[in-house]
Amino acid sequence: SAVPLPRCSPPPSLPLADFNYGADEYDAEGNEEPKALPEGSETMPYIDESPTMSPQLSARGQESGDGVSPTPTDGLGTGGERDAGKGLEMRKLVLSGFLASEEIYINQLEALLLPMKPLKATATTSQPVLTLQQIETIFYKIQDIYEIHKEFYDSLCPKVQQWDSNVTMGHLFQKLASQLGVYKAFVDNYKIALETAEKCSQSNYQFQKISEELKVKGPKDSKESHTSVTMEALLYKPIDRVTRSTLVLHDLLKHTPADHPDYPLLQDALRISQNFLSSINEDIDPRRTAVTTPKGETRQLVKDGFLVELSEGSRKLRHVFLFTDVLLCAKLKKTAVGKHQQYDCKWYVPLADLVFPSPEESEHCPQVHVIPDHELEDMKMKISAIKSEVQKEKANKGQSRAIDRLKKKMFENEFWLLLNSPAIPFRIHNRNGKSYLFLLSSDYERSEWREAIQKLQKKDLQAFVLSSVELQVLTGSCFKLRTVHNIPVTSNKDDDESPGLYGFLHVIVHSAKGFKQSANLYCTLEVDSFGYFVSKAKTRVFRDTTEPQWNEEFEIELEGSQSLRILCYEKCYDKTKLNKDNNEIVDKIMGKGQIQLDPQAVQTKNWHMDVIEMNGIKVEFSMKFTSRDMSLKRTPSKKQTGVFGVKISVVTKRERSKVPYIVRQCIEEVEKRGIEEVGIYRISGVATDIQALKAVFDANNKDILVMLSDMDINAIAGTLKLYFRELPEPLLTDRLYPAFMEGIALSDPAAKENCMMHLLRSLPDPNLITFLFLLEHLKRVAEKEPINKMSLHNLATVFGPTLLRPSEVESKAHLTLASDIWSHDVMAQVQVLLYYLQHPPISFTELKRNTLYFSTDV
């Protein structure tokens, strides 16, 4: 029944396809590395298990020794002809890659069928190896599957070999999809087949010998003529194949023009395959498929994901796998041509030996080098700017090469951010001596890992040492079993995936109940931005209670966010546990929960009340969302008696002051007791406190000073920011805004100096005097940066948009997303304020006297 396959090699002029833009393009150290070639690999490069990946075409040449000259696809013709050609060229690449993997699959099925005939022949003799019933069970449906794929391969191969743009092959895929039913029968029988094979090899030495080493033919032009594979591994191949059957269809559809005769046929095949897959997916969850070590223990993958490890003083991105009884830390290996991607095990700790050191035990651990906030903020700005450029290129139907280049740059920047932003230590200690340190950006994730490990440790676990072969088998299984395929950065998302929300989320944390005993309780809120979660707000500690009533409101800035997490903590006041490492969170997590931010549900003007349940605790909260373009609008106050939303000239005239009273009082209070507060002006104050202060200032209440001295300092800082944000016109005025944008873009230092000083001089007196007053205050705050962690750059990021953002954002027709208008202008607004913050002191009188502030000679 086994017929040799005609060799179907891809045409020699094919450029190399690199079908995976993302996780596999970088090794874990962030270095670029040569790609594996499809040849001889059963996991084809384009078959990333997530069909959402957008295939990218890169024409890196093969090693020169291969005798094939790289032909960049850009030589395909010009203009529109090239685009049409490129799609068809991509189809050819996808198909020839698929054929190569189909050939390997058929060889594997053939190897399985090979012992079936002799086994059947002995079954009727006086000394059978297996009974006919056993043979029927073990090899159930293999022959049928083999014939279906052989026929498909034989029909498709000549079409790819004699390739031209009119080739149609959709009917072949449609037929293959319609025959998937045979796999349902195979899957239903799979477990029994495995058990039967296992029992038979235990009871029959002859069968054991056969099933341990089945010979699989190598592809025609590979150096290896045969490889030895176990029967158990081969029986898994059809399951592996069917779970991937939809992926090639996704890729083909992506590169088949909608008017091509194949298009509806491929769509139909995809629909059949997807329906079939969802019907059997309940039966096979490859994640839980056990890895059988040589000892016969069953190991299941429980959790995996990317974490940053601090190793020999530098940050490395690792893929961490938690199995039933072992934690394994791996990185993607640099792969040689012709081999598929492999993991390299860096270390493993049997769970029986794994302990979490308490903070006091971990003092000898390396100190975490924290990247300054302003560098992270800078990088976020860069990423936002590249996103805008990508959007513009797409809107202007830009060249895909330019877009690919931008996307690559964005991936590098996001990769840097992913590597450098985490700062919460997660320590793992092996009882036999060695300690490891991961850095996470979210305490939620840290507790998920810790809980998953502790849950497994409740079982009766044995300590063990893996032999090198066992370790190789386990690490080899990681690639197949992994559930997280791509580094969590937004550039790995497809265009049609939700970009998340940009704007401001207002959250009121009301109360919580369900605590067994009184405790000192508080909550933190985390949202995801740039692909990873960070903590954005924290309620006050409610002391000694089982039913905390916080009722605090927060305004959280969202940057492409899709989820909100709430964590509930018990505050630890025990001095012995407080670690020197300031990022160590020693408070105990009482519960945690997460909700999706659904753009439709959230974008209403009204508050939306919700409850998150976590380990028997219920936290009540409300939220509403303002999109960025809405929150950018400055609305003048209807009442002209207050100070918020009233022109600064009106207020100073009424008060007979040079600088509004509210500005003087808030600044004085911050300098008195907030100048050493970590994150002053960056950390949100409680919104209800800010509203209370706003009301008092608006009413010019005589209790202002008493209230200020009692109020949380972050609320006072928040009130000052709110005052500037609600001015009907920005402090640096609408009229001068375009000139500030042009001035900051000048590259000649003397011209820039002259222009920027001239612009200050052009401001009305109340605006100028208030701006200079604020400027000197912010410089004093930044002098305390070692303590308060607020650099000039951080302060410019916080205040720039508040002082400069024009009152009306013209809707720019070609920029669809509010986030684009935002990122582009915000960078310049931040730069304007930073320019003045870094400038030597500017005095009002000096400025007014000097028409030309500095000589223009350089």
Side-chain angles (χ1 to χ4, degrees):
S1 64
V3 189
L5 293 174
R7 176 63 196 144
C8 184
S9 57
S13 68
L14 278 185
L16 281 180
D18 157 5
F19 281 99
N20 202 344
Y21 189 84
D24 299 345
E25 191 149 330
Y26 279 71
D27 74 338
E29 321 292 309
N31 307 316
E32 220 171 310
E33 48 183 58
K35 286 304 302 227
L37 257 182
E39 235 19 281
S41 121
E42 50 180 321
T43 314
M44 296 307 300
Y46 74 86
I47 300 187
D48 183 301
E49 283 85 312
S50 53
T52 54
M53 293 298 289
S54 62
Q56 298 290 330
L57 202 95
S58 117
R60 289 190 204 132
Q62 283 167 293
E63 300 300 311
S64 50
D66 286 4
V68 177
S69 64
T71 329
T73 27
D74 300 326
L76 280 174
T78 53
E81 177 196 334
R82 181 193 304 165
D83 284 348
K86 187 169 181 182
L88 296 167
E89 185 81 2
M90 284 297 283
R91 283 176 77 215
K92 181 164 58 167
L93 286 168
V94 170
L95 285 169
S96 45
F98 182 63
L99 269 174
S101 71
E102 190 73 358
E103 182 193 347
I104 290 167
Y105 180 47
I106 291 170
N107 287 344
Q108 289 165 340
L109 293 171
E110 216 169 73
L112 252 184
L113 290 170
L114 207 60
M116 192 170 82
K117 274 189 178 164
L119 284 170
K120 272 187 176 170
T122 65
T124 49
T125 65
S126 56
Q127 288 190 311
V129 178
L130 301 181
T131 65
L132 279 171
Q133 179 63 49
Q134 287 168 330
I135 296 169
E136 183 57 38
T137 305
I138 294 171
F139 296 98
Y140 187 65
K141 294 292 179 194
I142 303 284
Q143 183 71 42
D144 298 358
I145 292 174
Y146 170 78
E147 281 162 12
I148 289 169
H149 282 271
K150 181 76 177 64
E151 185 193 347
F152 170 76
Y153 180 91
D154 291 345
S155 316
L156 184 60
C157 195
K159 287 180 178 288
V160 177
Q161 276 179 324
Q162 286 114 47
W163 181 262
D164 73 53
S165 57
N166 303 319
V167 162
T168 59
M169 41 67 207
H171 57 289
L172 297 178
F173 279 94
Q174 201 180 22
K175 184 175 178 187
L176 184 66
S178 68
Q179 293 170 308
L180 282 172
V182 66
Y183 276 96
K184 176 83 177 115
F186 176 84
V187 169
D188 290 342
N189 180 69
Y190 172 68
K191 221 171 167 177
I192 308 159
L194 266 192
E195 284 165 8
T196 310
E198 181 74 17
K199 273 184 200 146
C200 294
S201 32
Q202 281 167 1
S203 58
N204 187 310
Y205 179 67
Q206 231 179 324
F207 181 69
Q208 188 187 350
K209 289 293 287 178
I210 296 170
S211 64
E212 270 178 359
E213 278 201 25
L214 292 170
K215 296 271 184 282
V216 178
K217 263 194 322 216
K220 291 282 186 305
D221 54 358
S222 79
K223 295 187 180 67
E224 297 169 14
S225 56
H226 284 85
T227 48
S228 293
V229 187
T230 65
M231 181 173 286
E232 185 191 358
L234 287 178
L235 281 172
Y236 181 69
K237 295 299 174 190
I239 287 187
D240 196 32
R241 194 74 189 165
V242 76
T243 52
R244 292 161 179 227
S245 61
T246 58
L247 300 174
V248 68
L249 290 166
H250 269 284
D251 284 335
L252 281 173
L253 271 170
K254 225 173 234 179
H255 300 291
T256 302
D259 55 1
H260 193 285
D262 270 348
Y263 197 82
L265 301 175
L266 291 171
Q267 268 185 320
D268 191 46
L270 180 60
R271 182 184 53 77
I272 299 170
S273 305
Q274 280 175 327
N275 291 345
F276 173 73
L277 261 191
S278 55
S279 74
I280 65 161
N281 253 348
E282 291 93 63
D283 309 331
I284 42 167
D285 178 357
R287 268 183 284 189
R288 311 296 293 173
T289 310
V291 187
T292 311
T293 64
K295 288 181 187 165
E297 290 172 337
T298 303
R299 272 205 188 101
Q300 296 182 327
L301 179 65
V302 178
K303 181 175 171 60
D304 69 303
F306 288 98
L307 294 181
V308 174
E309 186 189 10
L310 198 64
S311 159
E312 294 160 7
S314 67
R315 292 164 178 255
K316 303 283 162 69
L317 191 67
R318 303 288 191 224
H319 200 147
V320 182
F321 295 85
L322 174 61
F323 289 95
T324 326
D325 62 348
V326 63
L327 183 76
L328 185 141
C329 175
K331 65 163 263 201
L332 269 174
K333 213 155 62 171
K334 292 188 174 177
T335 43
V337 172
K339 299 282 181 242
H340 65 267
Q341 289 267 284
Q342 287 285 342
Y343 280 100
D344 193 9
C345 173
K346 298 311 270 180
W347 49 265
Y348 71 91
V349 180
L351 297 190
D353 294 329
L354 187 151
V355 284
F356 300 111
S358 62
E360 57 270 26
E361 291 168 325
S362 58
E363 290 204 349
H364 56 276
C365 282
Q367 275 301 301
V368 180
H369 167 60
V370 180
I371 305 287
D373 268 351
H374 69 87
E375 285 185 30
L376 299 174
E377 290 302 325
D378 266 355
M379 188 54 88
K380 287 180 185 175
M381 289 289 190
K382 268 189 202 159
I383 293 165
S384 296
I386 296 173
K387 274 187 190 159
S388 304
E389 283 182 56
V390 171
Q391 292 294 343
K392 269 194 203 151
E393 284 285 344
K394 282 185 182 160
N396 302 335
K397 301 277 185 286
Q399 280 195 335
S400 58
R401 278 177 72 196
I403 293 175
D404 288 352
R405 207 167 42 243
L406 285 170
K407 281 192 169 171
K408 185 164 188 240
K409 187 82 193 133
M410 184 154 95
F411 177 79
E412 286 164 9
N413 288 350
E414 290 196 307
F415 187 86
W416 182 92
L417 197 59
L418 188 74
L419 209 55
N420 290 296
S421 54
I424 300 171
F426 175 44
R427 303 172 196 278
I428 300 282
H429 181 66
N430 185 335
R431 269 185 239 277
N432 306 329
K434 199 148 167 38
S435 286
Y436 305 96
L437 171 59
F438 292 112
L439 297 173
L440 281 70
S441 61
S442 147
D443 199 25
Y444 191 99
E445 263 142 57
R446 181 171 74 158
S447 83
E448 280 186 322
W449 278 99
R450 193 176 278 159
E451 282 165 19
I453 291 170
Q454 285 167 337
K455 187 173 168 188
L456 293 169
Q457 286 179 325
K458 288 191 179 126
K459 299 181 184 139
D460 179 30
L461 294 172
Q462 304 294 309
F464 57 85
V465 176
L466 293 173
S467 70
S468 59
V469 176
E470 287 170 330
L471 186 58
Q472 211 175 336
V473 170
L474 190 60
T475 312
S477 73
C478 290
F479 190 81
K480 275 238 163 58
L481 295 176
R482 62 191 182 154
T483 64
V484 182
H485 303 282
N486 299 318
I487 298 171
V489 291
T490 52
S491 37
N492 274 342
K493 278 191 189 169
D494 234 13
D495 298 343
D496 48 10
E497 275 187 75
S498 157
L501 294 170
Y502 287 85
F504 293 92
L505 185 69
H506 299 262
V507 181
I508 302 177
V509 182
H510 298 294
S511 59
K513 47 179 176 288
F515 296 97
K516 303 280 185 288
Q517 57 212 57
S518 286
N520 304 313
L521 303 163
Y522 70 92
C523 285
T524 64
L525 306 177
E526 290 183 355
V527 293
D528 53 328
S529 58
F530 296 95
Y532 58 90
F533 279 85
V534 278
S535 183
K536 288 281 197 174
K538 179 176 171 180
T539 67
R540 63 183 187 280
V541 178
F542 214 98
R543 291 186 175 238
D544 200 20
T545 179
T546 54
E547 295 205 355
Q549 301 282 330
W550 293 289
N551 293 318
E552 291 183 63
E553 184 186 331
F554 301 95
E555 181 183 81
I556 295 172
E557 188 170 0
L558 303 182
E559 298 166 295
S561 311
Q562 293 177 323
S563 307
L564 168 73
R565 290 171 169 176
I566 297 188
L567 294 95
C568 192
Y569 290 90
E570 179 180 356
K571 181 77 183 151
C572 162
Y573 290 108
D574 179 350
K575 284 282 181 285
T576 59
K577 285 193 180 159
L578 295 177
N579 192 16
K580 294 186 177 67
D581 184 343
N582 63 358
N583 283 306
E584 189 73 71
I585 299 169
V586 292
D587 301 336
K588 181 179 166 202
I589 294 183
M590 304 297 285
K592 62 187 192 318
Q594 169 170 326
I595 55 159
Q596 289 304 107
L597 296 173
D598 170 20
Q600 271 65 45
V602 184
Q603 279 175 314
T604 56
K605 292 208 171 61
N606 309 327
W607 288 95
H608 163 72
M609 179 103 168
D610 214 334
V611 174
I612 284 190
E613 294 203 34
M614 29 172 122
N615 327 346
I617 299 163
K618 290 182 177 181
V619 176
E620 282 199 352
F621 65 99
S622 300
M623 58 183 181
K624 69 176 179 182
F625 170 74
T626 346
S627 63
R628 192 158 257 138
D629 39 358
M630 287 305 298
S631 59
L632 291 177
K633 291 202 170 83
R634 294 176 184 267
T635 40
S637 168
K638 304 216 172 25
K639 295 202 308 265
Q640 288 298 301
T641 51
V643 289
F644 281 82
V646 180
K647 281 187 175 170
I648 193 164
S649 54
V650 174
V651 174
T652 48
K653 199 169 176 182
R654 186 196 321 138
E655 292 179 354
R656 298 203 178 98
S657 62
K658 289 184 170 165
V659 174
Y661 179 68
I662 179 171
V663 177
R664 296 199 309 273
Q665 285 313 126
C666 290
I667 285 180
E668 191 179 314
E669 203 59 38
V670 170
E671 294 204 354
K672 204 186 298 174
R673 59 192 179 91
I675 203 144
E676 295 192 345
E677 181 81 13
V678 174
I680 186 74
Y681 289 121
R682 188 172 57 83
I683 301 230
S684 312
V686 176
T688 35
D689 291 349
I690 295 172
Q691 290 307 320
L693 278 171
K694 176 182 174 179
V696 185
F697 275 113
D698 267 343
N700 195 13
N701 194 313
K702 55 182 183 307
D703 301 333
I704 290 177
L705 293 176
V706 180
M707 200 164 166
L708 277 175
S709 57
D710 287 345
M711 195 59 86
D712 171 54
I713 200 64
N714 287 320
I716 294 168
T719 306
L720 182 66
K721 287 191 296 186
L722 185 68
Y723 168 72
F724 286 120
R725 199 159 79 208
E726 290 198 354
L727 281 174
E729 176 183 58
L731 188 65
L732 298 186
T733 72
D734 283 332
R735 184 175 63 86
L736 295 175
Y737 181 74
F740 275 114
M741 294 297 102
E742 283 169 12
I744 198 65
L746 292 171
S747 40
D748 174 51
K752 185 187 266 189
E753 167 77 33
N754 209 4
C755 174
M756 298 300 275
M757 290 307 139
H758 172 68
L759 287 173
L760 283 190
R761 240 189 331 276
S762 315
L763 285 170
D765 280 4
N767 299 57
L768 175 56
I769 296 168
T770 303
F771 179 65
L772 295 177
F773 187 76
L774 177 67
L775 209 55
E776 291 313 306
H777 164 65
L778 295 179
K779 288 181 182 181
R780 286 191 290 275
V781 171
E783 281 168 10
K784 300 281 186 191
E785 184 192 353
I787 306 165
N788 64 27
K789 306 278 190 283
M790 290 302 285
S791 60
L792 288 175
H793 191 287
N794 281 357
L795 292 163
T797 306
V798 171
F799 276 96
T802 305
L803 301 177
L804 277 133
R805 195 188 60 242
S807 41
E808 271 310 307
V809 176
E810 293 96 56
S811 58
K812 304 183 181 177
H814 64 285
L815 287 179
T816 45
L817 291 174
S819 57
D820 298 341
I821 303 167
W822 174 77
S823 60
H824 234 74
D825 286 5
V826 163
M827 289 179 77
Q829 292 161 11
V830 169
Q831 290 306 318
V832 169
L833 182 53
L834 189 59
Y835 181 84
Y836 291 123
L837 283 169
Q838 289 172 339
H839 195 280
I842 305 164
S843 103
F844 177 75
T845 45
E846 195 69 6
L847 197 57
K848 287 293 190 187
R849 196 169 60 237
N850 254 354
T851 355
L852 275 183
Y853 194 71
F854 270 71
S855 153
T856 42
D857 303 336
V858 176

